[in-house]
Amino acid sequence: MHELSIVASIVESVTESLAAYPGARVKEVRLRVGALASVVQESLEFCYGIATEGTALEGSVLVVNIVPVVVRCGPCGQDVPLESLQSFRCPRCGAPANDVRQGKELEIEAIEIDEAEETV
Ligand SMILES: [Zn+2]
């Protein structure tokens, strides 16, 4: 499953960031996922539960922010959001627009951690 390897690498990089905060627990991980990143949000969330088991991320929440697709329209000379992924045309003038400026992201936007020492 594609999403599982994505989540595994997220867990890895979050774990690396945590090295600076010994004993910290992750509460929330926010992802920016482009509408074109070809991942299924539900799968990501499902895999997250599996991949975080036994890690400092266990029990944390994965928040997926879907980033809309923005294309550069030549005739308009502007970046415009696509109205539909079915048609790569400028919603303003109808010109074909294949210059994708945004929408392929797959990155960690923020990590919320709990630094307080807990007695578990
Ligand atoms: Zn246009």
Side-chain angles (χ1 to χ4, degrees), residues 73 75-76 90 92-95:
C73 174
C76 291
C90 172
R92 293 185 188 174
C93 71

Side-chain angles (χ1 to χ4, degrees), residues 25-90:
R25 301 282 303 176
V26 177
K27 285 161 69 181
E28 189 176 288
V29 174
R30 285 204 289 278
L31 279 191
R32 276 166 59 82
V33 176
L36 289 178
S38 34
V39 293
V40 180
Q41 183 173 350
E42 288 75 21
S43 288
L44 274 185
E45 290 163 353
F46 176 73
C47 294
Y48 189 78
I50 300 169
T52 55
E53 249 174 60
T55 72
L57 289 76
E58 188 171 353
S60 64
V61 180
L62 181 71
V63 178
V64 179
N65 292 322
I66 301 293
V67 180
V69 179
V70 172
V71 292
R72 163 61 56 94
C73 174
C76 291
Q78 288 187 48
D79 291 349
V80 286
L82 272 196
E83 283 176 349
S84 158
L85 293 183
Q86 311 306 319
S87 110
F88 276 70
R89 287 180 175 278
C90 172

